[in-house]
Amino acid sequence: MSTSAGWDQPRTSLFTDHYELTMLQAALHSGAAHRKSVFEAFARRLPDGRRYGIVGGTGRLLDGIAAFRFGDAELEFLGRTGVVNKETLEYLADFRFTGDIWGYAEGEAYFPNSPVLIVESTFAEACILETYVLSVLNHDSAIASAASRMITAAGNRPCIEMGSRRTQEESATAAARAAVIAGFASTSNLEAGLRYGIKTVGTAAHSFTLLHDTERDAFGAQVASLGAGTSLLVDTYDVETAVRTAVEIAGDKLGAVRLDSGDLVEQAQWVRRLLDELGNENTRIMVTSDLDEFAIAALQSAPVDAYGVGTSLVTGSGAPTASMVYKLVSRTDDAGEFVSVAKTAKDKISKGGRKYALRRLNEHGTATHEIVGVGHRPVDDGDDRPLLQQFIKNGELLPGWTGHEGVLRARQRHADSMAELPAVVHRLQRGEPAIPTIYEEN
């Protein structure tokens, strides 16, 4: 099972916590391990100041569940270290997920308590997926949510993901994918290009200019090698001198200049005037330098054509996790009947019962409420949109949710979801979630 030609999904079975396997062992011992169960992943609340979140990571998660196997190396480790007993090792040796998985489509907006992912299987199968489910959804949804806010602030100007050096190598690749789902145009991360078919871009850093004896030599070499349409970094020394030199070398075909320091609003304004005076009306201005959604919003009035975003994006712009949890909400009893279960601890109360969700839309196609039915499907009044999609059926991955196709589908889902939400979502303001969630009990 491969996401792209040239990259194979590794085994994911040990991307988990010790206690999941000890729970499995104890449940096998008690005889309850094979009770049919329903687990749900959801966020009890949004990060402070956020009005919506964006689901990210579903495609990666589904690939990982398909590869969730215990091979000889994993079984030897678990046996040698005494994590589980022989009976449990025998169960794990034949493990594959055989249940059903439903959830919000990747790229979809979610709100507090939205049933983002629903796992229906035996307790044994669902239990040991907990950490893997949460590690993927929490990371990628945090990045996608931040990226969505940045895309909103940027308007029609493209954003480029370039945060790989600010995070761990695997999370960098995942972040690139999540950013593109939420509307980023491209990434600097080549591994993301290989795995997911994402467009990659990049030209040169300050070190390339410093390598050469003069800035003119550096620009000349870059243009000779990459063509006049390249982007030249013009703030290594003096910006005005660099812009003039860039135009002299590349002429009016110069693709872009990049600004990476200083007062970007002021600089962009006078660099635009200078480029126009030199006859380079079509040369674009790209800005980088620790941008987040608020800095991008502040640049709306500046003549900027594109934004390169790094640190703030890959760290969730102040919210590095989506704070999702994974809870058992229903399971069968000794008679085989489903019963709702829920935690009641203070500040961590969960609502039991299998959930069904739809988004209520008005006559203009604008979302007004999230309707969550507990134990039943809410009634569609004719204009509403069901939110839960099936991703895995009887252990088989349904097509269209993974790989490059999954990225494109999620990107379109994000655009459609944003179009449904009230205009207030598209402004960087604090307050309650953009639309309320209403529970419908049986």
Side-chain angles (χ1 to χ4, degrees), residues 162 188 200-206 208 222 226-227 229-233 256-258 284 286:
M162 47 194 305
S188 66
T200 63
V201 297
T203 51
H206 292 101
F208 181 78
Q222 184 174 330
L226 302 179
T230 190
S231 175
L232 295 174
L233 182 56
V257 296
R258 178 160 74 95
R284 295 170 292 111
M286 176 182 176

Side-chain angles (χ1 to χ4, degrees), residues 343-420:
K343 182 177 179 178
T344 59
K346 183 180 179 181
D347 299 327
K348 289 189 175 182
I349 295 175
S350 301
K351 185 174 288 291
R354 205 274 197 192
K355 313 301 188 304
Y356 300 83
L358 61 78
R359 188 157 296 157
R360 182 137 294 160
L361 307 176
N362 64 18
E363 65 274 17
H364 305 295
T366 298
T368 60
H369 300 85
E370 202 97 319
I371 310 297
V372 177
V374 181
H376 74 286
R377 289 178 173 82
V379 177
D380 184 342
D381 68 5
D383 297 322
D384 302 334
R385 182 168 65 82
L387 292 168
L388 292 174
Q389 308 289 330
Q390 188 163 19
F391 305 132
I392 293 179
K393 183 176 182 179
N394 297 325
E396 297 298 324
L397 177 61
L398 300 180
W401 300 107
T402 61
H404 184 53
E405 182 182 359
V407 171
L408 295 178
R409 188 173 188 172
R411 185 181 176 91
Q412 185 59 54
R413 180 67 260 148
H414 174 261
D416 292 345
S417 184
M418 289 295 95
E420 285 180 355

Side-chain angles (χ1 to χ4, degrees), residues 114-159:
S114 294
V116 170
L117 196 80
I118 298 175
V119 179
E120 300 175 315
S121 65
T122 64
F123 177 85
E125 290 186 16
C127 165
I128 62 177
L129 294 180
E130 176 183 2
T131 297
Y132 186 59
V133 166
L134 291 179
S135 64
V136 174
L137 291 182
N138 271 319
H139 175 268
D140 289 26
S141 296
I143 306 306
S145 299
S148 179
R149 289 160 60 84
M150 294 170 185
I151 286 296
T152 293
N156 295 324
R157 299 170 179 176
C159 291

